Every structure is written in C-alpha cells, then in structure tokens.
Coordinates of all heavy atoms in Angstrom, one line a residue:
M1 N 101.0 -143.6 45.3 CA 100.0 -142.9 45.9 C 98.7 -142.9 45.0 O 98.9 -142.8 43.8 CB 100.4 -141.4 46.1 CG 99.4 -140.6 46.7 SD 99.9 -138.8 47.0 CE 101.6 -138.9 47.2
E2 N 97.6 -143.1 45.6 CA 96.4 -143.1 44.8 C 96.0 -141.8 44.2 O 96.4 -140.7 44.7 CB 95.2 -143.7 45.6 CG 94.6 -142.7 46.6 CD 95.3 -142.6 47.9 OE1 96.3 -143.3 48.2 OE2 94.8 -141.8 48.8
R3 N 95.2 -141.8 43.2 CA 94.7 -140.6 42.5 C 93.8 -139.9 43.5 O 93.1 -140.5 44.3 CB 94.0 -141.0 41.3 CG 93.6 -139.8 40.4 CD 92.8 -140.2 39.2 NE 92.3 -139.1 38.5 CZ 91.3 -138.3 38.9 NH1 90.7 -138.5 40.0 NH2 90.9 -137.3 38.1
N4 N 93.9 -138.5 43.5 CA 93.1 -137.7 44.3 C 92.4 -136.6 43.5 O 93.1 -135.9 42.8 CB 93.9 -137.2 45.5 CG 93.1 -136.4 46.5 OD1 92.7 -135.3 46.3 ND2 92.8 -137.0 47.6
E5 N 91.2 -136.3 43.7 CA 90.5 -135.3 43.0 C 90.8 -133.9 43.5 O 90.6 -132.9 42.8 CB 89.0 -135.5 42.9 CG 88.3 -135.4 44.3 CD 86.8 -135.6 44.2 OE1 86.1 -134.8 43.6 OE2 86.4 -136.6 44.8
Y6 N 91.4 -133.8 44.7 CA 91.6 -132.5 45.2 C 93.1 -132.0 45.1 O 93.4 -130.8 45.1 CB 91.2 -132.4 46.7 CG 89.7 -132.6 46.9 CD1 89.2 -133.8 47.4 CD2 88.9 -131.6 46.5 CE1 87.8 -134.0 47.5 CE2 87.5 -131.8 46.6 CZ 87.0 -133.0 47.1 OH 85.6 -133.1 47.2
I7 N 94.0 -133.0 45.0 CA 95.4 -132.7 45.0 C 96.1 -133.3 43.8 O 95.8 -134.4 43.5 CB 96.1 -133.2 46.3 CG1 95.5 -132.5 47.5 CG2 97.6 -132.9 46.3 CD1 95.7 -131.0 47.6
E8 N 97.0 -132.6 43.2 CA 97.8 -133.1 42.1 C 99.3 -132.8 42.4 O 99.6 -131.8 43.0 CB 97.4 -132.6 40.7 CG 97.5 -131.1 40.6 CD 96.8 -130.5 39.4 OE1 96.0 -131.2 38.8 OE2 97.1 -129.4 39.0
Q9 N 100.1 -133.7 41.9 CA 101.5 -133.5 42.0 C 102.1 -133.0 40.7 O 101.9 -133.6 39.7 CB 102.2 -134.8 42.5 CG 103.6 -134.6 42.9 CD 104.2 -135.8 43.6 OE1 103.7 -136.9 43.5 NE2 105.3 -135.6 44.3
R10 N 102.8 -131.9 40.7 CA 103.5 -131.4 39.5 C 104.7 -130.5 39.9 O 104.7 -130.0 41.0 CB 102.5 -130.6 38.7 CG 101.9 -129.4 39.3 CD 101.0 -128.6 38.3 NE 100.6 -127.3 38.8 CZ 99.6 -127.0 39.5 NH1 98.7 -128.0 39.8 NH2 99.3 -125.8 39.9
N11 N 105.6 -130.5 39.1 CA 106.9 -129.7 39.3 C 107.5 -130.0 40.7 O 108.0 -129.1 41.3 CB 106.6 -128.2 39.2 CG 106.0 -127.8 37.9 OD1 106.3 -128.3 36.9 ND2 105.1 -126.8 37.9
G12 N 107.4 -131.3 41.1 CA 108.0 -131.7 42.3 C 107.3 -131.3 43.6 O 107.8 -131.6 44.7
G13 N 106.1 -130.8 43.4 CA 105.3 -130.4 44.6 C 103.9 -130.8 44.5 O 103.4 -131.3 43.5
F14 N 103.1 -130.6 45.6 CA 101.7 -130.9 45.6 C 100.9 -129.6 45.5 O 101.3 -128.6 46.2 CB 101.3 -131.6 46.9 CG 102.0 -132.9 47.1 CD1 103.1 -133.1 47.8 CD2 101.4 -134.1 46.5 CE1 103.7 -134.4 48.0 CE2 102.0 -135.3 46.6 CZ 103.1 -135.5 47.4
Y15 N 99.8 -129.6 44.7 CA 99.0 -128.4 44.5 C 97.5 -128.8 44.6 O 97.2 -130.0 44.3 CB 99.3 -127.8 43.1 CG 100.7 -127.3 43.0 CD1 101.7 -128.1 42.7 CD2 100.9 -125.9 43.3 CE1 103.0 -127.6 42.6 CE2 102.2 -125.4 43.2 CZ 103.3 -126.2 42.9 OH 104.5 -125.7 42.8
V16 N 96.7 -127.9 45.0 CA 95.3 -128.1 44.9 C 95.0 -128.2 43.4 O 95.4 -127.4 42.6 CB 94.5 -126.9 45.5 CG1 93.0 -127.1 45.4 CG2 94.9 -126.7 47.0
A17 N 94.3 -129.3 43.0 CA 94.0 -129.6 41.6 C 93.4 -128.4 40.9 O 92.5 -127.8 41.4 CB 93.2 -130.8 41.5
G18 N 94.0 -128.1 39.7 CA 93.5 -127.1 38.9 C 93.8 -125.7 39.3 O 93.2 -124.7 38.8
T19 N 94.6 -125.5 40.3 CA 95.0 -124.2 40.8 C 96.5 -124.0 40.9 O 97.2 -125.0 40.7 CB 94.4 -123.9 42.3 OG1 95.1 -124.6 43.2 CG2 92.9 -124.4 42.3
R20 N 96.9 -122.8 41.3 CA 98.3 -122.5 41.6 C 98.6 -122.5 43.1 O 99.7 -122.2 43.5 CB 98.6 -121.2 41.0 CG 98.5 -121.2 39.4 CD 98.7 -119.8 38.8 NE 99.9 -119.2 39.2 CZ 100.3 -118.0 38.9 NH1 99.4 -117.2 38.2 NH2 101.4 -117.5 39.3
V21 N 97.6 -122.9 43.9 CA 97.8 -122.9 45.3 C 98.5 -124.2 45.8 O 98.0 -125.3 45.5 CB 96.4 -122.8 46.1 CG1 96.6 -122.9 47.6 CG2 95.7 -121.6 45.7
S22 N 99.6 -124.0 46.4 CA 100.4 -125.2 46.9 C 99.8 -125.8 48.1 O 99.2 -125.1 49.0 CB 101.8 -124.8 47.2 OG 101.9 -124.1 48.4
L23 N 99.9 -127.1 48.2 CA 99.4 -127.8 49.4 C 100.2 -127.3 50.6 O 99.7 -127.2 51.7 CB 99.5 -129.3 49.3 CG 99.1 -130.2 50.5 CD1 97.6 -129.9 50.8 CD2 99.3 -131.6 50.2
D24 N 101.5 -127.0 50.4 CA 102.3 -126.5 51.5 C 101.7 -125.3 52.2 O 101.7 -125.2 53.4 CB 103.7 -126.1 51.0 CG 104.5 -127.2 50.4 OD1 104.0 -128.4 50.4 OD2 105.7 -127.0 50.0
S25 N 101.2 -124.4 51.4 CA 100.6 -123.2 52.0 C 99.4 -123.5 52.9 O 99.2 -122.9 53.9 CB 100.3 -122.2 50.9 OG 99.4 -122.7 50.0
I26 N 98.6 -124.5 52.4 CA 97.4 -124.9 53.2 C 97.9 -125.6 54.5 O 97.4 -125.4 55.6 CB 96.5 -125.7 52.4 CG1 95.9 -124.9 51.3 CG2 95.4 -126.4 53.3 CD1 95.0 -125.6 50.3
V27 N 98.9 -126.4 54.4 CA 99.4 -127.2 55.5 C 100.0 -126.2 56.6 O 99.7 -126.4 57.8 CB 100.5 -128.2 55.1 CG1 101.2 -128.8 56.3 CG2 99.8 -129.3 54.3
Y28 N 100.7 -125.2 56.1 CA 101.3 -124.2 57.1 C 100.1 -123.6 57.9 O 100.2 -123.4 59.1 CB 102.1 -123.1 56.4 CG 103.4 -123.5 55.9 CD1 103.8 -123.3 54.6 CD2 104.4 -124.1 56.8 CE1 105.1 -123.7 54.2 CE2 105.6 -124.5 56.4 CZ 106.0 -124.3 55.1 OH 107.2 -124.6 54.6
S29 N 99.1 -123.2 57.2 CA 97.9 -122.5 57.9 C 97.2 -123.5 58.8 O 96.9 -123.2 59.9 CB 96.9 -122.0 56.8 OG 97.4 -120.9 56.1
F30 N 97.1 -124.7 58.3 CA 96.4 -125.8 59.2 C 97.2 -126.1 60.4 O 96.7 -126.1 61.5 CB 96.2 -127.0 58.3 CG 95.6 -128.2 59.0 CD1 94.3 -128.2 59.4 CD2 96.4 -129.3 59.3 CE1 93.7 -129.2 60.1 CE2 95.8 -130.4 59.9 CZ 94.4 -130.4 60.3
K31 N 98.5 -126.2 60.3 CA 99.4 -126.5 61.4 C 99.5 -125.3 62.4 O 99.7 -125.4 63.6 CB 100.8 -126.8 61.0 CG 100.9 -128.2 60.4 CD 102.3 -128.6 60.1 CE 102.5 -130.1 59.8 NZ 103.9 -130.4 59.6
A32 N 99.2 -124.1 61.9 CA 99.2 -122.9 62.7 C 97.9 -122.7 63.5 O 97.7 -121.8 64.3 CB 99.4 -121.6 61.8
G33 N 97.0 -123.6 63.2 CA 95.7 -123.6 63.9 C 94.6 -123.0 63.2 O 93.5 -122.8 63.8
D34 N 94.8 -122.6 62.0 CA 93.7 -121.9 61.2 C 92.6 -122.9 60.9 O 92.9 -124.1 60.5 CB 94.2 -121.3 59.9 CG 95.1 -120.1 60.1 OD1 95.0 -119.5 61.2 OD2 95.8 -119.7 59.2
S35 N 91.4 -122.5 61.0 CA 90.2 -123.4 60.6 C 90.1 -123.5 59.1 O 90.7 -122.6 58.4 CB 88.9 -122.8 61.2 OG 88.6 -121.6 60.5
P36 N 89.5 -124.5 58.6 CA 89.3 -124.6 57.1 C 88.6 -123.3 56.6 O 88.9 -122.9 55.5 CB 88.4 -125.8 57.0 CG 88.8 -126.7 58.1 CD 89.0 -125.7 59.3
E37 N 87.7 -122.7 57.4 CA 87.0 -121.5 56.9 C 87.9 -120.3 56.8 O 87.9 -119.6 55.9 CB 85.8 -121.2 57.9 CG 84.7 -122.2 57.9 CD 84.9 -123.5 58.6 OE1 85.9 -123.6 59.3 OE2 84.1 -124.4 58.4
T38 N 88.9 -120.2 57.8 CA 89.9 -119.2 57.7 C 90.8 -119.4 56.5 O 91.1 -118.4 55.8 CB 90.7 -119.1 59.0 OG1 89.7 -118.8 60.1 CG2 91.8 -118.1 59.0
I39 N 91.2 -120.6 56.3 CA 92.1 -120.9 55.2 C 91.4 -120.6 53.9 O 92.0 -120.0 53.0 CB 92.5 -122.4 55.2 CG1 93.4 -122.7 56.4 CG2 93.2 -122.8 53.9 CD1 93.6 -124.2 56.7
R40 N 90.1 -120.9 53.8 CA 89.3 -120.5 52.6 C 89.3 -119.0 52.4 O 89.4 -118.5 51.3 CB 87.9 -121.1 52.8 CG 86.8 -120.5 51.9 CD 87.0 -120.6 50.4 NE 86.0 -120.0 49.7 CZ 86.0 -118.7 49.3 NH1 87.0 -117.9 49.7 NH2 85.0 -118.2 48.6
Q41 N 89.1 -118.3 53.5 CA 89.2 -116.8 53.4 C 90.5 -116.3 52.9 O 90.6 -115.3 52.1 CB 88.8 -116.1 54.7 CG 87.4 -116.3 55.1 CD 87.1 -115.7 56.5 OE1 88.0 -115.6 57.3 NE2 85.8 -115.4 56.7
N42 N 91.6 -116.9 53.3 CA 92.9 -116.5 52.9 C 93.3 -116.9 51.5 O 94.2 -116.3 50.9 CB 94.0 -117.1 53.9 CG 93.9 -116.5 55.3 OD1 93.4 -115.4 55.5 ND2 94.3 -117.3 56.3
F43 N 92.6 -117.9 51.0 CA 92.8 -118.4 49.6 C 91.5 -118.3 48.9 O 90.8 -119.3 48.7 CB 93.4 -119.8 49.6 CG 94.7 -119.9 50.2 CD1 94.9 -120.3 51.5 CD2 95.9 -119.6 49.5 CE1 96.1 -120.3 52.1 CE2 97.2 -119.7 50.1 CZ 97.3 -120.0 51.4
S44 N 91.1 -117.1 48.5 CA 89.8 -116.9 47.9 C 89.5 -117.6 46.6 O 88.3 -117.7 46.3 CB 89.5 -115.4 47.8 OG 90.5 -114.8 46.9
S45 N 90.5 -118.1 46.0 CA 90.3 -118.8 44.7 C 89.8 -120.3 45.0 O 89.4 -121.0 44.1 CB 91.5 -118.9 43.9 OG 92.6 -119.6 44.5
L46 N 89.9 -120.7 46.3 CA 89.5 -122.1 46.6 C 88.1 -122.1 47.2 O 87.6 -121.1 47.8 CB 90.5 -122.6 47.7 CG 91.9 -122.7 47.3 CD1 92.7 -123.3 48.4 CD2 92.1 -123.5 46.0
T47 N 87.4 -123.3 47.0 CA 86.2 -123.5 47.7 C 86.5 -124.2 49.0 O 87.5 -124.7 49.3 CB 85.3 -124.4 46.9 OG1 85.9 -125.7 46.8 CG2 85.0 -123.9 45.5
L48 N 85.5 -124.1 49.9 CA 85.6 -124.8 51.2 C 85.8 -126.3 51.0 O 86.6 -126.9 51.7 CB 84.4 -124.5 52.1 CG 84.5 -124.9 53.5 CD1 85.8 -124.3 54.2 CD2 83.3 -124.5 54.3
E49 N 85.2 -126.8 50.0 CA 85.3 -128.3 49.7 C 86.8 -128.6 49.3 O 87.4 -129.6 49.8 CB 84.4 -128.7 48.5 CG 84.6 -130.1 48.1 CD 83.7 -130.5 47.0 OE1 82.9 -129.7 46.5 OE2 83.8 -131.7 46.5
Q50 N 87.4 -127.7 48.5 CA 88.8 -127.9 48.1 C 89.7 -127.9 49.4 O 90.7 -128.6 49.5 CB 89.3 -126.9 47.1 CG 88.7 -127.1 45.7 CD 89.0 -125.9 44.8 OE1 88.7 -124.8 45.1 NE2 89.6 -126.3 43.6
V51 N 89.5 -126.9 50.3 CA 90.3 -126.8 51.5 C 90.1 -128.1 52.3 O 91.1 -128.7 52.7 CB 89.9 -125.6 52.3 CG1 90.6 -125.6 53.6 CG2 90.2 -124.3 51.5
Y52 N 88.9 -128.5 52.5 CA 88.7 -129.8 53.3 C 89.4 -131.0 52.6 O 90.0 -131.8 53.2 CB 87.2 -130.0 53.5 CG 86.7 -129.4 54.8 CD1 85.9 -128.2 54.7 CD2 86.9 -129.9 56.0 CE1 85.4 -127.6 55.8 CE2 86.4 -129.3 57.2 CZ 85.7 -128.2 57.1 OH 85.2 -127.5 58.2
G53 N 89.3 -131.0 51.3 CA 89.9 -132.1 50.5 C 91.4 -132.1 50.6 O 92.0 -133.1 50.8
A54 N 92.0 -130.9 50.6 CA 93.4 -130.8 50.8 C 93.9 -131.2 52.2 O 94.9 -131.9 52.3 CB 93.8 -129.3 50.5
I55 N 93.1 -130.8 53.2 CA 93.5 -131.2 54.5 C 93.3 -132.7 54.7 O 94.2 -133.4 55.3 CB 92.6 -130.4 55.6 CG1 92.9 -129.0 55.6 CG2 92.7 -131.0 57.0 CD1 92.0 -128.1 56.3
A56 N 92.3 -133.3 54.1 CA 92.1 -134.7 54.2 C 93.2 -135.5 53.5 O 93.7 -136.5 54.0 CB 90.7 -135.1 53.6
F57 N 93.6 -135.0 52.4 CA 94.8 -135.5 51.6 C 96.0 -135.5 52.5 O 96.8 -136.4 52.6 CB 95.0 -134.8 50.3 CG 96.2 -135.4 49.6 CD1 96.0 -136.4 48.7 CD2 97.4 -134.8 49.7 CE1 97.1 -136.9 48.0 CE2 98.5 -135.3 49.0 CZ 98.4 -136.4 48.2
Y58 N 96.3 -134.3 53.1 CA 97.4 -134.1 53.9 C 97.4 -135.1 55.1 O 98.4 -135.8 55.4 CB 97.5 -132.7 54.5 CG 98.6 -132.6 55.5 CD1 99.9 -132.7 55.2 CD2 98.2 -132.3 56.9 CE1 100.9 -132.6 56.2 CE2 99.2 -132.2 57.9 CZ 100.5 -132.4 57.5 OH 101.5 -132.3 58.5
L59 N 96.3 -135.3 55.8 CA 96.2 -136.2 56.9 C 96.4 -137.6 56.5 O 97.0 -138.4 57.3 CB 94.9 -136.0 57.6 CG 94.7 -134.6 58.3 CD1 93.3 -134.5 58.9 CD2 95.7 -134.4 59.4
A60 N 96.0 -138.0 55.3 CA 96.2 -139.3 54.8 C 97.6 -139.6 54.3 O 98.0 -140.8 54.2 CB 95.2 -139.6 53.7
H61 N 98.4 -138.5 54.0 CA 99.7 -138.7 53.4 C 100.7 -137.8 54.1 O 101.6 -137.2 53.5 CB 99.7 -138.3 51.9 CG 98.7 -139.1 51.1 ND1 97.4 -138.7 50.9 CD2 98.9 -140.3 50.5 CE1 96.8 -139.7 50.2 NE2 97.7 -140.7 50.0
E62 N 100.5 -137.6 55.4 CA 101.3 -136.6 56.2 C 102.8 -136.8 56.1 O 103.5 -135.8 55.9 CB 100.8 -136.8 57.7 CG 101.3 -135.7 58.5 CD 100.6 -135.7 59.9 OE1 99.7 -136.5 60.1 OE2 101.1 -134.9 60.8
Q63 N 103.3 -138.0 56.2 CA 104.7 -138.2 56.1 C 105.3 -137.8 54.8 O 106.3 -137.1 54.7 CB 105.0 -139.7 56.4 CG 106.5 -140.0 56.5 CD 106.8 -141.4 57.0 OE1 105.9 -142.2 57.0 NE2 108.1 -141.7 57.2
E64 N 104.6 -138.2 53.7 CA 105.1 -137.9 52.4 C 105.1 -136.4 52.1 O 106.0 -135.8 51.6 CB 104.3 -138.6 51.3 CG 104.8 -138.4 49.9 CD 104.0 -139.2 48.9 OE1 103.1 -139.9 49.2 OE2 104.3 -139.0 47.7
V65 N 104.0 -135.8 52.5 CA 103.9 -134.3 52.3 C 104.9 -133.6 53.2 O 105.6 -132.7 52.7 CB 102.4 -133.8 52.6 CG1 102.3 -132.3 52.5 CG2 101.5 -134.5 51.6
D66 N 105.0 -133.9 54.4 CA 106.0 -133.3 55.3 C 107.4 -133.4 54.8 O 108.2 -132.5 54.9 CB 105.9 -133.8 56.7 CG 104.7 -133.3 57.5 OD1 104.0 -132.3 57.0 OD2 104.4 -133.8 58.6
S67 N 107.7 -134.5 54.2 CA 109.1 -134.7 53.7 C 109.3 -133.9 52.4 O 110.4 -133.5 52.1 CB 109.4 -136.2 53.4 OG 108.6 -136.7 52.3
N68 N 108.2 -133.6 51.7 CA 108.3 -132.8 50.5 C 108.5 -131.3 50.8 O 109.0 -130.6 50.0 CB 107.1 -133.0 49.6 CG 107.1 -132.4 48.3 OD1 106.7 -131.2 48.1 ND2 107.6 -133.1 47.3
I69 N 108.0 -130.8 51.9 CA 108.0 -129.4 52.2 C 109.5 -128.8 52.2 O 109.7 -127.8 51.6 CB 107.3 -129.1 53.5 CG1 105.8 -129.3 53.3 CG2 107.6 -127.7 54.0 CD1 104.9 -129.2 54.5
P70 N 110.4 -129.5 52.9 CA 111.8 -128.9 52.9 C 112.4 -128.9 51.5 O 113.2 -128.0 51.2 CB 112.6 -129.9 53.8 CG 111.5 -130.5 54.7 CD 110.3 -130.6 53.9
E71 N 112.1 -129.9 50.7 CA 112.6 -129.9 49.3 C 112.1 -128.7 48.6 O 112.8 -128.1 47.8 CB 112.1 -131.2 48.6 CG 112.8 -132.5 49.2 CD 112.2 -133.7 48.6 OE1 111.4 -133.7 47.6 OE2 112.4 -134.8 49.2
G72 N 110.8 -128.3 48.7 CA 110.3 -127.2 48.1 C 110.9 -125.9 48.6 O 111.2 -125.0 47.8
E73 N 111.2 -125.8 49.9 CA 111.8 -124.6 50.4 C 113.2 -124.5 49.9 O 113.7 -123.4 49.6 CB 111.8 -124.7 52.0 CG 110.4 -124.5 52.6 CD 110.4 -124.8 54.1 OE1 111.4 -125.3 54.6 OE2 109.4 -124.5 54.7
E74 N 113.9 -125.6 49.8 CA 115.3 -125.6 49.2 C 115.3 -125.1 47.8 O 116.1 -124.3 47.4 CB 115.9 -126.9 49.3 CG 116.3 -127.4 50.7 CD 116.9 -128.8 50.7 OE1 117.3 -129.3 49.7 OE2 116.8 -129.4 51.8
A75 N 114.3 -125.5 47.0 CA 114.2 -125.1 45.6 C 114.0 -123.6 45.5 O 114.5 -122.9 44.6 CB 113.1 -125.9 44.9
I76 N 113.1 -123.1 46.4 CA 112.8 -121.7 46.4 C 114.1 -120.9 46.7 O 114.4 -119.9 46.1 CB 111.7 -121.3 47.4 CG1 110.4 -121.9 46.8 CG2 111.6 -119.8 47.7 CD1 109.2 -121.8 47.8
Q77 N 114.9 -121.3 47.7 CA 116.1 -120.7 48.1 C 117.1 -120.6 47.0 O 117.9 -119.7 46.8 CB 116.7 -121.3 49.4 CG 115.9 -121.1 50.6 CD 115.8 -119.6 50.9 OE1 116.7 -118.8 50.8 NE2 114.6 -119.2 51.3
K78 N 117.1 -121.7 46.2 CA 118.1 -121.7 45.0 C 117.7 -120.7 44.0 O 118.6 -120.2 43.3 CB 118.1 -123.1 44.4 CG 118.8 -124.1 45.3 CD 118.8 -125.5 44.6 CE 119.5 -126.5 45.6 NZ 119.4 -127.8 45.0
L79 N 116.4 -120.3 43.9 CA 116.0 -119.3 42.9 C 116.2 -117.9 43.4 O 116.3 -117.0 42.5 CB 114.5 -119.5 42.7 CG 114.1 -120.8 42.0 CD1 112.5 -121.0 41.9 CD2 114.6 -120.9 40.6
I80 N 116.4 -117.7 44.7 CA 116.5 -116.4 45.2 C 118.0 -115.9 45.0 O 118.9 -116.5 45.1 CB 116.1 -116.3 46.7 CG1 114.6 -116.6 46.8 CG2 116.5 -115.0 47.3 CD1 114.1 -116.6 48.2

C-alpha cells in the first residue's frame, strides 16, 4: 500500500496519522450515513481535512480496511 499523509498503520490497525483516532471509528460513522462535518464534530481532535483524507483513503482501500475491522474487533474482545 502506498504511503498516505492522512492514515498510518500501527499496532495492526489503521489510524488517522498523528492521532489516537482509529480509521474504523470513522468508517463506522461514514457507513452509518454521517457527513464528514458530523464526523468532525464527533471527533473534535480532527480537522475536516483529516476526516476527508480518512474517507478518501478508505474508499481507495475499502477491501483491505473492511477485512481489518473484524480483526480489530476480535483483538478487543480478547482484552475484555
């Protein structure tokens, strides 16, 4: 996968670069029909540019990101 200024991969997941916000959380909101502006309001540490960048990354890598989401959910369940 090419380098992206908005998303980084670490600890087995995708995150908005330089933040603790997971791409999964943005994808859930996006798939639920939330606008980028609403997503920005829900994640006040992000800029609107970062939200749009994350959505663009997701749309360009949808299959890879979607396959990573269940893996992240499984990891969380193991911690609980």
Side-chain angles (χ1 to χ4, degrees):
M1 177 180 332
E2 77 274 1
R3 185 183 176 287
N4 185 283
E5 66 182 295
Y6 296 107
I7 299 298
E8 60 189 20
Q9 192 170 14
R10 63 179 191 266
N11 302 326
F14 295 99
Y15 295 86
V16 177
T19 75
R20 296 171 56 186
V21 178
S22 72
L23 179 59
D24 296 0
S25 58
I26 292 175
V27 169
Y28 284 128
S29 292
F30 178 69
K31 285 184 168 186
D34 290 343
S35 70
E37 290 77 13
T38 299
I39 295 170
R40 161 57 184 90
Q41 288 176 339
N42 293 335
F43 297 94
S44 60
S45 64
L46 300 180
T47 65
L48 192 55
E49 179 182 357
Q50 287 172 307
V51 172
Y52 273 103
I55 292 169
F57 178 89
Y58 170 67
L59 293 173
H61 303 92
E62 193 169 351
Q63 186 175 9
E64 182 177 357
V65 173
D66 283 347
S67 69
N68 185 272
I69 289 174
E71 293 171 14
E73 289 173 348
E74 287 175 21
I76 289 171
Q77 289 302 317
K78 288 179 184 177
L79 295 173
I80 296 177

